[in-house]
Amino acid sequence: MLTSNFNKRRNMPVTVLESDLVVTGGGLAGVCCAIAAARGGLKVVLVQDRPVLGGNASSEVRIWALGATSHMGNNNRWSREGGIIDEILVENTFRNKEGNPVLFDMVLVDKVLAEKNITLLLNTVLYDVEKSSDRTISSVKVFNAQNGMEYRISAKYFADCTGDGTLGYLAGASYRIGAEEKTVYDEGFAPDKDIYGELLGHSIIFYVRDTGRPVRFTAPNFALKDAEKLIPKLQNPHYFNVGQHGCKYWWLEYGGRLDTIKDTEKIKFELWKVVYGVWDYIKNSGKFPQSENLTLEWAGLISGKRESRRFIGLYTISQKDIIEQISHYDDVAFGGWAIDLHPSDGVYAGGSACNQWHSKGVYKIPYRCYVTPDLDNLFIGGRIMSSSHVANGSTRVMCTSALGGEVIGTAVAICLDKGLTPSGLSAPENISILQSRLIMNGNFIPDLGLKKGENPVADAKVKASSELRLASLDHDGSWFRLDYPAAQVIPVYNRVPSVGMTLMSEENTELTVELRSSSKRENYTPDITDAVMEISLKKGENRISIDFGHEYDSPRYCFICFMTNPDVSIPNSDMIVTGLTSVFNYINPAVSNFGKQTPPDGIGVESFEFWCPKRRPESKNFAMSFKPALDCFKAENIKSAYYRPYIGTNAWVPSFDDKAPWIEVDLGGIRSVSSLKLFFDTDPDHAMETVQMGHFESVMPCCYRNFSIYDNTGAEMAEIKDNHSSIREITFDTPVRAGFLRIAFERPEGNVCPGLMGVIVTE
């Protein structure tokens, strides 16, 4: 038996680790940062102070991960984030389409543990920083209370993805807390600090389960008394309904008038009072007999934070960047959630629980927002990136933060390879390296593609077994009554085709049909009316032809809009075609979509209508014929560096009757091929919330599941079965010599026209 001197002071055991990158914070930003760096060949230590990964998206908090798609309640078509966060969301939908937050924990841990270059430290708290100079961090000290171990981790680079900016704070980087005055960034939406407050609060949500038999509830002594009187929103059916579940109670928010870091525990206890007080009201007020069999299954153990420190970077993104969709030379990511500010009084405030204003499309985020000017080896990621308080109302959401995490992890690999500081990488002659690498890994950067020579496929000769010329979307027998406006969104390259349809009318009536487009062709807000037709209909069945006679001078999407007329029904089609969708001018109050955005004067936000899709199985195209047929699905489209519909379909789609489609890529000479990447249509218009909403499919219908790749001799290079991912990379242990690739696909089941979005060859 070992003994020791009981009078001697003891120290905790110390483990020393060395790495290329230390990532502090294991939310989605930190996870994506660590994975990106590890795949770039770096040795990474990921430090997370909780027992699971995911931060606010984890099973401990259970806020849904979302970004530009905004519950499909805005005009940002095909805008789901790409790269690693897309990989995570698609995998979670495949394994966990019901939205179980515990299973999402599993998906995240599985992704991180699959990377052999990552050392994962859970339950490990950062508490100290060591610096070799004023501008250089040399190591961090962290402590794990579960194993009693202190770790001292040295690295060449560090990434702060902690949410509160703990690493940047300890290292001395400049930061802000609270709202700026309107004049600082010329932001009309900057809040009145006295009335609205300066900070967004925290939230704790709860889950309810029906046990099938009566359940009683005795409130704890600390529970809020008189919740009905103290919480105005309990009288507002827009917010409160006893049948609501889980995440619908995001508005149980508090703490915006306090220090959202120092007072975190105080805020949590107040929110516990609120949660148990609200449940006491539901169960014991006698007003909700339908709650008799309900039990409180789970309540958050820690609060979900929205805002604390925001670090000052080389560039600060502000309201105008978002609303005006400003371009920057170093754009590396994008956002699209509304500018979403909440009253600091949270659950105790009257009126709306949030104040959201949308832009007309996605906006761009420059690399400089992730770089502090104060330190030479620190990046700042997640919600602490350099933004104004107003812009943070949009950039703070998790999928947008995750994009920034991948930017940082990718940037570190380049910095290490080229001996650059984070600031040095921001130079115009260097930033294009980062942009190209992000695009090649499946990230979407608006207005940016790959440069000539970066992908041999761009200069290759391409041919296919067939190319879809879409002459019609066939009627499936169902109808949509025009209780509110609806539109078919189609890509056009010059003249708008003539459209033929069969309509049903209950009375003799007039129907207004409009041709609309976006003032910015990269947007999907139909704010320009290009032509209008008034069509006379008789009672019963009507065969009509719609020819606007309009021609556009550049490729874009347009909207064939059928305006409200409850007497008229238009035919649905269950054909699912890559790059086509229907949209509706209806309301989605969950994201402040009331059909039209009408902001007050002077806040710097535009008025416009919302035309949004529905979720499958409700989502259907409209049955119509096109003359000439839509001819925008050519094999040449795989050369595009936009791996999603953007301005055009950017997809090769084979003919509907092509049962064994193939595409051939002639590289123009024998090359040494080390890997191939194929990009598939996993429906980036579908918001893949991690919780709150379930999903109809586990695999997106236009995604190719099975395919084989052959070289110019006919030899099979690879066979892939059961693919469900947006990107499938095939890496060869030994580079193969090939001048010609043939990819043969098994057509997915169902009434679908699947798309291949791109191919990248790496030599």
Side-chain angles (χ1 to χ4, degrees):
M1 176 182 290
L2 295 176
T3 60
S4 62
N5 185 339
F6 68 89
N7 287 320
K8 185 176 180 181
R9 181 183 180 277
R10 299 183 179 97
N11 293 316
M12 290 296 187
V14 176
T15 296
V16 176
L17 299 175
E18 294 183 359
S19 64
D20 297 311
L21 171 66
V22 172
V23 181
T24 54
L28 294 186
V31 166
C32 291
C33 179
I35 292 174
R39 291 178 180 176
L42 275 65
K43 187 178 179 182
V44 182
V45 178
L46 174 58
V47 179
Q48 164 71 328
D49 62 356
R50 305 300 306 169
V52 291
L53 296 167
N56 281 345
S58 74
S59 62
E60 292 189 310
V61 185
R62 305 192 182 188
I63 302 297
W64 57 94
L66 209 57
T69 50
S70 191
H71 294 302
M72 298 163 68
N74 61 14
N75 291 341
N76 297 340
R77 300 284 62 74
W78 298 292
S79 66
R80 194 177 68 239
E81 291 72 16
I84 293 170
I85 187 59
D86 173 75
E87 178 184 332
I88 289 169
L89 295 177
V90 170
E91 188 65 27
N92 183 63
T93 302
F94 176 68
R95 300 190 194 184
N96 178 31
K97 71 184 181 70
E98 296 76 19
N100 184 331
V102 174
L103 295 184
F104 185 58
D105 289 347
M106 172 202 70
V107 169
L108 292 178
V109 171
D110 207 26
K111 284 288 182 186
V112 168
L113 294 182
E115 301 296 333
K116 303 307 180 186
N117 286 342
I118 297 178
T119 298
L120 174 61
L121 302 178
L122 295 174
N123 294 306
T124 304
V125 178
L126 168 69
Y127 72 90
D128 197 11
V129 170
E130 294 180 330
K131 298 171 73 175
S132 58
S133 71
D134 287 344
R135 299 188 57 83
T136 307
I137 303 170
S138 57
S139 64
V140 295
K141 295 180 181 179
V142 299
F143 178 70
N144 185 316
Q146 297 296 307
N147 62 11
M149 182 71 68
E150 178 183 314
Y151 298 87
R152 296 177 185 172
I153 316 167
S154 61
K156 300 175 181 69
Y157 297 91
F158 296 81
D160 188 339
C161 300
T162 58
D164 283 338
T166 306
L167 176 55
Y169 174 79
L170 292 173
S174 304
Y175 67 93
R176 291 190 181 97
I177 291 181
E180 295 86 2
E181 299 292 341
K182 293 178 186 290
T183 55
V184 174
Y185 295 109
D186 191 18
E187 295 177 307
F189 191 35
D192 183 313
K193 298 180 184 181
D194 294 329
I195 298 173
Y196 208 73
E198 292 195 59
L199 287 168
L200 281 67
H202 304 182
S203 284
I204 284 181
I205 59 176
F206 61 91
Y207 274 28
V208 174
R209 180 169 57 88
D210 189 336
T211 66
R213 60 182 184 274
V215 177
R216 68 184 183 90
F217 173 71
T218 302
N221 291 331
F222 66 76
L224 185 70
K225 308 303 187 288
D226 298 323
E228 180 179 9
K229 296 178 181 177
L230 295 174
I231 301 176
K233 293 175 186 62
L234 289 177
Q235 310 308 317
N236 186 336
H238 173 61
Y239 290 105
F240 175 71
N241 181 319
V242 72
Q244 288 176 332
H245 64 87
C247 302
K248 292 291 186 180
Y249 289 95
W250 59 266
W251 51 271
L252 297 182
E253 179 178 355
Y254 178 75
R257 299 280 184 186
L258 303 178
D259 184 323
T260 54
I261 299 175
K262 183 183 71 176
D263 295 325
T264 288
E265 287 295 286
K266 180 179 180 180
I267 293 168
K268 179 189 72 177
F269 278 105
E270 183 66 24
L271 285 168
W272 275 352
K273 288 172 56 179
V274 168
V275 166
Y276 288 99
V278 168
W279 189 242
D280 186 35
Y281 169 61
I282 291 171
K283 290 289 290 184
N284 297 323
S285 68
K287 295 184 177 182
F288 308 104
Q290 65 269 42
S291 71
E292 184 180 25
N293 293 352
L294 299 182
T295 188
L296 185 63
E297 182 179 51
W298 172 87
L301 302 179
I302 60 174
S303 52
K305 292 188 181 184
R306 290 182 176 85
E307 184 182 12
S308 54
R309 298 185 183 102
R310 292 173 287 109
F311 282 76
I312 299 172
L314 297 176
Y315 185 91
T316 298
I317 193 170
S318 65
Q319 176 180 331
K320 284 192 172 183
D321 292 281
I322 293 173
I323 299 301
E324 298 177 15
Q325 301 172 267
I326 292 173
S327 295
H328 320 85
Y329 78 91
D330 58 337
D331 287 325
V332 288
F334 72 94
W337 187 261
I339 298 178
D340 181 6
L341 301 185
H342 299 192
S344 293
D345 293 317
V347 70
Y348 298 121
S352 297
C354 64
N355 198 0
Q356 295 181 328
W357 299 109
H358 298 257
S359 61
K360 287 186 174 182
V362 300
Y363 59 88
K364 303 143 194 172
I365 302 174
Y367 165 77
R368 288 165 291 160
C369 291
Y370 306 112
V371 179
T372 170
D374 302 321
L375 292 143
D376 288 334
N377 63 342
L378 175 67
F379 289 87
I380 47 176
R383 70 171 183 262
I384 68 171
M385 61 170 274
S386 183
S387 68
S388 69
H389 168 75
V390 171
N392 182 257
S394 176
T395 62
R396 64 182 170 82
V397 296
M398 283 184 274
C399 289
T400 307
S401 294
L403 287 182
E406 182 170 358
V407 167
I408 292 170
T410 308
V412 173
I414 297 170
C415 286
L416 187 62
D417 180 53
K418 299 192 175 296
L420 296 171
T421 64
S423 295
L425 182 57
S426 70
E429 62 270 20
N430 294 326
I431 198 68
S432 62
I433 304 170
L434 174 60
Q435 292 167 329
S436 293
R437 195 165 297 184
L438 290 166
I439 292 169
M440 294 183 78
N441 287 333
N443 287 277
F444 170 62
I445 305 175
D447 298 335
L448 279 182
L450 295 176
K451 294 181 175 57
K452 186 174 178 60
E454 291 184 317
N455 179 16
V457 174
D459 298 315
K461 295 179 181 178
V462 180
K463 68 176 182 178
S465 55
S466 65
E467 295 174 337
L468 177 65
R469 297 186 75 253
L470 187 64
S472 66
L473 293 163
D474 299 334
H475 188 199
D476 65 7
S478 66
W479 300 82
F480 173 77
R481 192 172 75 175
L482 288 170
D483 291 324
Y484 44 83
Q488 181 65 46
V489 184
I490 62 171
V492 291
Y493 289 80
N494 38 61
R495 195 178 191 280
V496 179
S498 173
V499 171
M501 296 183 73
T502 298
L503 307 182
M504 293 295 293
S505 182
E506 296 179 10
E507 303 289 344
N508 295 336
T509 189
E510 297 287 319
L511 175 65
T512 302
V513 184
E514 298 181 357
L515 176 67
R516 296 192 185 185
S517 61
S518 297
S519 50
K520 292 183 178 180
R521 70 183 185 125
E522 65 269 24
N523 286 349
Y524 303 94
T525 295
D527 53 352
I528 302 294
T529 301
D530 298 305
V532 179
M533 291 184 65
E534 297 291 340
I535 299 175
S536 296
L537 301 176
K538 67 180 190 302
K539 184 176 180 179
E541 184 176 297
N542 296 260
R543 182 64 188 174
I544 66 167
S545 179
I546 305 169
D547 189 351
F548 293 107
H550 190 81
E551 185 168 335
Y552 292 103
D553 60 4
S554 59
R556 66 184 61 230
Y557 274 90
C558 70
F559 297 68
I560 301 171
C561 304
F562 304 91
M563 309 311 288
T564 302
N565 187 329
D567 289 331
V568 178
S569 295
I570 58 178
N572 291 318
S573 174
D574 62 3
M575 287 180 66
I576 302 174
V577 183
T578 290
L580 267 66
T581 190
S582 60
V583 292
F584 303 84
N585 181 220
Y586 71 123
I587 68 171
N588 185 347
V591 289
S592 296
N593 172 348
F594 297 96
K596 183 176 182 179
Q597 174 169 287
T598 309
D601 292 338
I603 71 166
V605 176
E606 297 178 86
S607 297
F608 58 87
E609 293 177 344
F610 293 102
W611 291 73
C612 308
K614 297 186 178 182
R615 293 172 185 262
R616 287 186 296 277
E618 280 190 79
S619 172
K620 293 186 176 184
N621 287 301
F622 294 123
M624 57 181 63
S625 62
F626 303 102
K627 188 176 182 179
L630 297 183
D631 191 16
C632 49
F633 305 98
K634 296 181 180 298
E636 290 284 319
N637 287 345
I638 69 164
K639 297 181 180 183
S640 168
Y642 298 120
Y643 305 121
R644 62 182 63 209
Y646 176 69
I647 300 175
T649 63
N650 300 314
W652 164 60
V653 179
S655 297
F656 188 71
D657 59 357
D658 187 347
K659 303 305 181 185
W662 52 262
I663 192 167
E664 293 178 350
V665 180
D666 184 348
L667 298 172
I670 299 297
R671 295 173 179 267
S672 178
V673 178
S674 61
S675 69
L676 297 170
K677 282 184 182 177
L678 277 64
F679 296 80
F680 299 108
D681 179 10
T682 54
D683 190 6
D685 209 20
H686 180 60
M688 290 183 170
E689 295 92 345
T690 49
V691 295
Q692 190 186 46
M693 295 183 178
H695 305 286
F696 181 62
E697 307 109 339
S698 58
V699 179
M700 297 300 102
C702 282
C703 179
Y704 282 110
R705 304 297 309 278
N706 305 317
F707 60 94
S708 296
I709 304 172
Y710 303 90
D711 66 14
N712 44 290
T713 69
E716 186 177 75
M717 300 168 67
E719 181 184 23
I720 304 298
K721 295 290 187 182
D722 297 323
N723 172 64
H724 57 268
S725 302
S726 305
I727 305 173
R728 193 60 184 253
E729 183 170 12
I730 299 98
T731 302
F732 304 104
D733 294 335
T734 302
V736 297
R737 303 285 293 171
F740 178 93
L741 303 172
R742 179 186 174 101
I743 311 169
F745 297 94
E746 181 180 310
R747 193 179 189 96
E749 295 182 359
N751 198 11
V752 301
C753 296
L756 177 64
M757 310 305 299
V759 177
I760 290 180
V761 170
T762 302
E763 298 184 85

